[in-house]
Amino acid sequence: MKNKDILTTVVRVKGSDTHKVVPVKSTGPIDKSLWLECSKCIGRIYVGGQISKGDIICKNILNTGVDIVCTRSIINY
């Protein structure tokens, strides 16, 4: 049984009229036993209305050595 996988979820966006959330994923596999704690941590994060694909949302989440990055760009005009 595989104990690690890429974590994908969403982060809330502040300051955007068109988007409420933006998709994010981990840059590497995270042990599945840490997914709940990671989700709690990510749930407290808000990003600004201007964000680009690949921007780091959370660096070294829970000291795993893995970053959480944005997978979609949001540009407000």
Side-chain angles (χ1 to χ4, degrees), residues 11-16 22 46-52 57 74 76:
V11 171
R12 291 179 279 189
V13 177
K14 276 191 175 180
S16 174
V22 64
Y46 286 86
V47 296
Q50 300 274 27
I51 192 158
S52 299
I57 304 300
I74 295 179
N76 280 342

Side-chain angles (χ1 to χ4, degrees), residues 2-9 24-32 35 38 42 66-69 71:
K2 193 171 159 183
N3 291 337
K4 289 187 173 188
D5 209 348
I6 301 295
L7 175 66
T8 59
T9 187
V24 297
K25 72 172 189 171
S26 60
T27 57
I30 297 176
D31 196 309
K32 290 183 179 180
W35 280 18
C38 286
I42 293 168
V66 177
D67 299 335
I68 304 297
V69 296
T71 59

Side-chain angles (χ1 to χ4, degrees), residues 7 9-12 33-46 58 61-62 68:
L7 175 66
T9 187
V10 295
V11 171
R12 291 179 279 189
S33 65
L34 297 175
W35 280 18
L36 182 59
E37 288 302 315
C38 286
S39 295
K40 288 178 184 178
C41 180
I42 293 168
R44 293 189 292 263
I45 298 173
Y46 286 86
C58 181
I61 191 162
L62 298 179
I68 304 297

